[in-house]
Every structure is written in C-alpha cells, then in structure tokens.
Amino acid sequence: MAVYQLAQEALAGEFAARWAEALAAVEAREVAGSLSELEAAYAAAVRESAAASYALSVAFYRLVRALETGRVIGGPGYRPGASLGSLWSDFNTLTGTRTGSGPRTPLPVDVRNPFPAADLEREAKRAAEAFRHQVGDRVERHERERAGRGSSALDDAELIAWEKEFLESLKTGGSGAGGMLVQDAGRDAIHSALQDDPGAIGYYRKTDASPCYFCALMAGRGAIYKSKRTAAFGAHPYCHCQAVPIFSRRYQLPAANDRFSRMWRDFGGGSLADWRTYYSKTTKT
C-alpha cells in the first residue's frame, strides 16, 4: 500500500523538520557549547517519531493480515471485537487518509502477540551513536579547523559560507541517520513479527519511486521467506523502502520488483560496484 509507505516517509520528514528547527536556534559558533541540548532534542525527536512509526506498522501489519487471512492478531493496539472496519479506521487515523473501509463484523482472533516490545534502551543507544557520528564528530572537526583559521571578521564572506556549509552538514547528516532510525522502528516491528506469527509466510521489499542501486537489488530478490531468518532488511539513511508482510502463497509482487529482478538477470553477475554502474546506466536510458 503506497499510502503506508508515504506515511512512514512523512514521519521521517517530521523528525527532520524538528531537527532542522533545533539547529536553526543555534549559531554556528555556539554549536560546540550546545551539544548537550542538541543531543537531547535529537533523541526526543527520534523517540517520538519512532513510536509513531512502530504504531503505524503494527496497524498496517494487522490490517494486511486480516485482509489476507480473515483473522485478526493480538498485541499492542488490539481491541476486543476488532473488525475489518475498525482495522481500516485505525490505519486511516494513523496515516491521516481515508484509504479503505470494511464491515463491522468481529473477526476471529489469534491471541498471540508477535510484536516485539519497544527496546527503549537500544533505541536510545542507537540515537546516541547516530548523534555522535553525524553531529558530535563533525563539530569536533569543525572546531579544530576553526582554531587553525585564526581570527576572522564576523562578516568575512568566506567564513560565513564555511559556517553555513557546516550547519548544513549537521542538518543533512543528522536527518539521514535519524530518519533511518525512525523508520527502522516500524520496519523492525514487521520483520520481527513475521518470525513469531504462525500465519505469516514472509515479506517483500517495496521501494519508493526512485530507489538506489542497493534497494533495487534487494527488491529484486522477491519474497523473503521465514526460513531465511538471517535475511536482514538492510535499510540505510534516506531509505524509504518498507517490508510488506505476506500471508498467502497467492501474493503478487509490485511491478517494480519484477523489473529489478529482470535487470539483475540481464546484468549477468559481478561485483556490487559493477551492479551500481549497470543500474545507473540502465535507469537513465
């Protein structure tokens, strides 16, 4: 469902906007002295958007499962007497759209809860690592370079451009890493639920409209079945791909997945770098 993917992208976008707002309140010369406040704002933005991503993925998983199996799964957000109508309503509320509706007849229930509890400690640690690599390390390098420059007039055009480029790198790097963590909360919820849900078969990777070479290659694998427990999803900064669960052998892959699969066969094998070059040339023609 495209609306689900767009809603997850929007959550990453909301995080990026909050991070940009926090940075905009600090002058470039003040960043080093404001790292603690910036890290707290960064962590809070990741945590809140990641929680929304998790809730959206649970609603999406539960809806797709009910549509394909005629049964509703338990876990967070489940309400007794759930129906296709109520599941659609939950999904519509979280996406902010009215995508579908259904009857209000209560569905048979599988009480098992396959959804992993949010690991807040792990999430906090990942956010701290992302902040350190994308912000803290950049600030440290910037301060060393500033010291090497010596004194400069505040209106020096070269200095102004340099500081602007620095702030932009903090915004871009922080947004990419944090946005990945936000969407990972939802991707991980689905990926983990598949392993613990007896009714699930596997998943496939749904890409955005213009995926990178790596995402195209992963999507070209087609369905990833539960027997391949080690098949990680493999997201990266600014990746908007989503895991779509499968509950029946009668699933149909998006046309893009078949296209990427054909491209890989036509490529004929080689290194990942070779595939990147081939993919870039092929998609530009």
Side-chain angles (χ1 to χ4, degrees), residues 78-141:
Y78 169 74
R79 297 193 303 274
S83 63
L84 282 178
S86 68
L87 297 183
W88 270 116
S89 179
D90 292 342
F91 182 73
N92 291 340
T93 297
L94 291 172
T95 59
T97 63
R98 183 171 174 76
T99 305
S101 60
R104 294 288 175 174
T105 306
L107 294 168
V109 182
D110 292 327
V111 295
R112 184 188 186 99
N113 173 14
F115 302 105
D119 189 338
L120 299 181
E121 184 176 347
R122 174 175 175 269
E123 290 179 5
K125 187 177 297 185
R126 292 186 69 194
E129 290 174 354
F131 184 87
R132 183 176 68 253
H133 292 310
Q134 299 298 333
V135 181
D137 290 352
R138 293 173 192 263
V139 171
E140 185 177 332
R141 290 194 300 271

Side-chain angles (χ1 to χ4, degrees), residues 20-44:
E21 183 179 359
L23 276 177
V26 182
E27 296 290 338
R29 289 177 176 271
E30 300 172 349
V31 170
S34 304
L35 277 181
S36 295
E37 293 83 355
L38 286 172
E39 183 172 7
Y42 189 87

Side-chain angles (χ1 to χ4, degrees), residues 46-281:
V46 168
R47 183 172 59 251
E48 292 175 21
S49 293
S53 173
Y54 175 88
L56 174 58
S57 287
V58 170
F60 174 68
Y61 185 98
R62 182 172 282 126
L63 174 61
V64 172
R65 188 185 195 277
L67 288 170
E68 294 194 17
T69 68
R71 302 181 66 85
V72 65
I73 192 75
Y78 169 74
R79 297 193 303 274
S83 63
L84 282 178
S86 68
L87 297 183
W88 270 116
S89 179
D90 292 342
F91 182 73
N92 291 340
T93 297
L94 291 172
T95 59
T97 63
R98 183 171 174 76
T99 305
S101 60
R104 294 288 175 174
T105 306
L107 294 168
V109 182
D110 292 327
V111 295
R112 184 188 186 99
N113 173 14
F115 302 105
D119 189 338
L120 299 181
E121 184 176 347
R122 174 175 175 269
E123 290 179 5
K125 187 177 297 185
R126 292 186 69 194
E129 290 174 354
F131 184 87
R132 183 176 68 253
H133 292 310
Q134 299 298 333
V135 181
D137 290 352
R138 293 173 192 263
V139 171
E140 185 177 332
R141 290 194 300 271
H142 185 75
E143 290 301 301
R144 287 200 301 267
E145 292 174 13
R146 186 201 296 279
R149 279 174 169 264
S151 59
S152 299
L154 291 177
D155 60 351
D156 183 294
E158 183 180 348
L159 174 62
I160 292 173
W162 181 64
E163 298 284 32
K164 183 178 180 181
E165 181 180 357
F166 163 61
L167 288 175
E168 188 64 28
S169 74
L170 297 185
K171 183 173 71 172
T172 302
S175 295
M180 182 180 72
L181 295 182
V182 166
Q183 294 188 83
D184 275 353
R187 286 186 284 239
D188 291 348
I190 287 181
H191 198 270
S192 298
L194 289 167
Q195 304 300 335
D196 293 326
D197 181 359
I201 293 176
Y203 75 95
Y204 65 83
R205 188 186 191 100
K206 187 179 185 308
T207 68
D208 59 17
S210 182
C212 70
Y213 72 99
F214 175 79
C215 292
L217 177 59
M218 294 298 100
R221 296 184 302 172
I224 306 300
Y225 297 105
K226 288 173 61 172
S227 59
K228 297 184 179 180
R229 296 182 66 90
T230 58
F233 190 82
H236 57 80
Y238 294 106
C239 174
H240 298 304
C241 296
Q242 300 298 332
V244 179
I246 298 170
F247 301 94
S248 167
R249 295 284 178 178
R250 296 186 299 275
Y251 66 86
Q252 183 173 1
L253 292 172
N257 294 61
D258 290 333
R259 177 185 172 224
F260 299 142
S261 181
R262 290 195 300 272
M263 286 177 63
W264 174 254
R265 290 195 298 270
D266 293 342
F267 167 59
S271 69
L272 192 58
D274 293 335
W275 162 252
R276 182 176 188 172
T277 301
Y278 176 83
Y279 177 76
S280 178
K281 289 181 178 179

